[in-house]
Amino acid sequence: EVDGDYPRWSKIEPKRYAYCNESARTGDFPVKPGKRIVKYVLLPCPQDNSNRGVIDDTARRNLTRPDRAVTETILDARKAECVEKPIVCVCGGVQSDSNGNQLVGVVFESTDGRDLGLSALQSLWYRYYQFVAVVSECFMIPSLFFWLNMLEPAAKHFPNFF
């Protein structure tokens, strides 16, 4: 479960990261509002791959890239011993800097901890990394869950009605 409304996502706090690119802004890592259940897969990197390659591979598989809230929720749940296959999430939109370089937001595990920054589209990730891709998202609507929970006991008493 991911809560896009959690205050943590409204700003980037460099102290949370082993490395935080000083030019990274919250707008570089948009987060979808609301609570949602997210199903994701970890895609292996069979060969060194660029950020552009990760973006293209995710789209080719009809998957979506995670936002920062999904990414960091996954990383928060990982055990330290899992880092032999570190996770990379290409989770921002593609943008151009003042020199015309195309950049994208990334969050990834490193030997020092978690890093956040802007990375060039042609930057390579080595084959020991794995990438997060979102399979599906289901937004939670509180009033709907309330009514469904109310109907469940009634269904036991009136099985032919529901």
Side-chain angles (χ1 to χ4, degrees), residues 8 17 38 49 62 65-66 70 89 92 104 111 113 118 154 160:
R8 173 180 173 185
Y17 306 95
V38 178
N49 204 353
N62 291 320
R65 291 182 291 133
V70 170
C89 294
V104 67
T111 53
L118 299 175
N160 295 328

Side-chain angles (χ1 to χ4, degrees), residues 19-25 28-29 49-52 54-55 65 88-97 101-108 115-125 131:
Y19 170 78
C20 182
N21 184 303
E22 63 187 39
S23 61
R25 301 175 322 271
D28 299 326
F29 299 87
N49 204 353
S50 68
N51 288 319
R52 168 55 65 199
V54 171
I55 291 169
R65 291 182 291 133
V88 174
C89 294
V90 179
C91 54
V94 177
Q95 56 192 300
S96 295
D97 68 7
N101 299 313
Q102 289 192 301
L103 306 172
V104 67
V106 295
V107 179
F108 62 99
D115 296 355
L116 177 140
L118 299 175
S119 179
L121 272 183
Q122 67 272 19
S123 293
L124 290 177
W125 298 102
F131 302 91

Side-chain angles (χ1 to χ4, degrees), residues 43-77:
L43 301 175
C45 185
Q47 61 191 24
D48 295 353
N49 204 353
S50 68
N51 288 319
R52 168 55 65 199
V54 171
I55 291 169
D56 293 345
D57 189 41
T58 303
R60 184 178 51 76
R61 295 172 187 247
N62 291 320
L63 302 170
T64 58
R65 291 182 291 133
D67 64 18
R68 184 172 144 241
V70 170
T71 300
E72 295 205 36
T73 300
I74 292 166
L75 293 176
D76 288 346

